[in-house]
Amino acid sequence: MAGSDTSTGTQRYTRVASLLHWLIAALFLVQIGLGLTMDHVTLDDMVTFSLFQTHRALGMITLVLVVLRVVWRLRHKPPVLPASETVLMRHIASMTHALLYAGQILSPLSGWALASASSLALPLSMFGLFDWPLLPLSADGRFEDPLRLVHHWAGWGFAALIALHIGAALWHGVVMRDGLVWRIIPLSRPASKPQ
């Protein structure tokens, strides 16, 4: 269940939920940066290959953390929105969070499928420690282009949702100053809204 700040009565996310939120957010921002670099920056082939391998390994770590986050979310009810939020804003927030979860799953999952269906048949190395198992997909290359397209647009769509999410957080934190953003920040106290 959600925690509560006893001094203000503001419900908060649990520390585990908060930690997973920020860790996954950081990993996705790194992943987006790696993807853009690999696609749009001309680099030495070995550097590109190294970035590619890092992107794949971090994708699998991210997927595991997202699964843990979903399990945690199913077992721990998130804090409710304040009564001052309109019905429309509640629906928008609910739909956006559902889409964010879908993006968190679809992006790494489509990358895993792409790696598994690649005609290059490269092992999915986890930083040289072990190989992540590939999905049982045909590696003759026939699914590679469609999966690459899915992964590409899943990444762009998810990046747009992240931008929307950050914009909403800034709106609540800077303009509304309603304390909502403090619910996900670990070890913080919500700022009181000026009267």
Side-chain angles (χ1 to χ4, degrees):
M1 68 176 62
S4 178
D5 186 313
T6 54
S7 65
T8 64
T10 302
Q11 284 194 321
R12 306 173 62 87
Y13 285 91
T14 64
R15 284 197 176 101
V16 171
S18 180
L19 176 65
L20 287 171
H21 172 273
W22 291 107
L23 186 55
I24 291 168
L27 282 167
F28 270 113
L29 290 177
V30 168
Q31 288 292 78
I32 290 168
L34 286 172
L36 290 172
T37 301
M38 291 184 302
D39 282 352
H40 301 289
V41 178
T42 304
L43 298 168
D44 177 76
D45 287 345
M46 287 309 296
V47 172
T48 301
F49 179 75
S50 177
L51 292 178
F52 176 75
Q53 292 293 77
T54 300
H55 183 75
R56 293 182 351 150
L58 288 177
M60 295 303 90
I61 291 169
T62 304
L63 182 59
V64 169
L65 291 174
V66 168
V67 169
L68 289 174
R69 184 177 186 191
V70 169
V71 169
W72 186 265
R73 173 73 182 258
L74 292 173
R75 296 178 55 92
H76 297 82
K77 190 175 179 180
V80 296
L81 289 171
S84 58
E85 286 293 323
T86 66
V87 173
L88 176 62
M89 292 310 292
R90 288 172 185 275
H91 285 304
I92 291 172
S94 178
M95 184 171 47
T96 303
H97 277 99
L99 289 172
L100 281 165
Y101 274 100
Q104 289 175 69
I105 294 168
L106 181 59
S107 291
L109 191 58
S110 62
W112 186 14
L114 176 58
S116 301
S118 173
S119 57
L120 296 176
L122 294 172
L124 211 164
S125 175
M126 299 300 292
F127 303 106
L129 300 174
F130 63 94
D131 289 344
W132 189 271
L134 297 175
L135 295 170
L137 298 173
S138 172
D140 61 6
R142 64 184 147 158
F143 299 121
E144 194 169 359
D145 286 340
L147 286 169
R148 183 174 287 108
L149 199 61
V150 169
H151 188 59
H152 175 84
W153 287 111
W156 277 110
F158 189 52
L161 284 169
I162 290 170
L164 178 66
H165 186 59
I166 292 170
L170 289 173
W171 173 261
H172 281 286
V174 177
V175 178
M176 299 299 293
R177 290 193 280 175
D178 55 15
L180 282 183
V181 294
W182 295 103
R183 303 179 323 159
I184 196 70
I185 298 175
L187 307 176
S188 68
R189 298 179 73 105
S192 56
K193 186 176 180 178
Q195 301 297 320

